[in-house]
Amino acid sequence: MIELDDDKARLDVARVHAWLASSYWSPGIDRALVERAIAGSHCLGAYDQGEQVGYARMITDHATFAWLADVWVDESARGQGIARAMVAWFVDHPDFAGIRRMALVTADAHGVYEALGFHALIRPSRYMERLAPGFADALRATPE
C-alpha cells in the first residue's frame, strides 16, 4: 500500500536530488537548488513500506495560482498509478480548494494530467516566460 505524506522531514532529499538530476527538465541540477525548491514548496512524498518511491511539489500563493512541478516516480514503482495519486492529492487537498488556475509543463505524461482535469492552454498566446540564459540554451538543445 502506497502512503502519501507531505511531511518534508520524511523526504529522502538525496534520492529526490538524484531523480531530478536525471530528469529531462532539470538534468544535473545542484542539490542546493533542490533543497531551496523543497523549502519554498508544498512537497509530497510517496512511500512504499517506508521507502520513498515518489515525489511531487506544488508552488503556490494558496489563493489564485499553483504550479505543479517535479512529479517523479521511481522506475521500480512505475505503472501503479502513483503519479496520478500524487497529483490527485494536490487537486483534492483543502489547501488548494478554490485556486483558479493550476498549471504544469510535461513532455510525456499528458494522460496522467488530463484524467485529473488538466488540459492544453486555452489562450497560449497570452503566456510568456523568462528563462535563465543557460537554461534557455539547454532547452533549445533538447528535442521536443
Side-chain angles (χ1 to χ4, degrees):
M1 176 92 165
I2 299 298
E3 176 191 5
L4 301 180
D5 189 357
D6 63 347
D7 180 358
K8 288 183 187 180
R10 283 189 72 186
L11 293 173
D12 181 341
V13 177
R15 179 169 257 198
V16 170
H17 171 249
W19 287 335
L20 297 180
S22 70
S23 73
Y24 69 80
W25 63 87
S26 57
I29 191 169
D30 290 334
R31 180 173 169 145
L33 191 54
V34 171
E35 290 172 356
R36 281 179 43 208
I38 288 170
S41 303
H42 191 148
C43 300
L44 182 65
Y47 303 90
D48 186 2
Q49 298 179 15
E51 179 184 356
Q52 188 171 353
V53 296
Y55 172 75
R57 67 187 180 99
M58 190 72 84
I59 305 101
T60 183
D61 63 4
H62 293 284
T64 63
F65 182 79
W67 184 270
L68 181 63
D70 298 338
V71 178
W72 185 276
V73 175
D74 190 74
E75 193 170 333
S76 68
R78 291 181 186 164
Q80 300 176 43
I82 297 170
R84 186 167 294 177
M86 289 190 298
V87 177
W89 187 94
F90 281 115
V91 168
D92 296 336
H93 195 282
D95 284 357
F96 300 97
I99 289 182
R100 295 184 315 186
R101 178 174 286 127
M102 287 186 182
L104 60 90
V105 173
T106 186
D108 57 2
H110 295 78
V112 170
Y113 303 112
E114 287 169 348
L116 295 165
F118 289 84
H119 52 78
L121 296 174
I122 291 173
R123 295 184 178 103
S125 63
R126 293 185 180 189
Y127 282 75
M128 298 182 72
E129 64 185 353
R130 182 178 184 275
L131 303 174
F135 188 62
D137 293 342
L139 285 178
R140 286 185 190 98
T142 306
E144 284 283 323

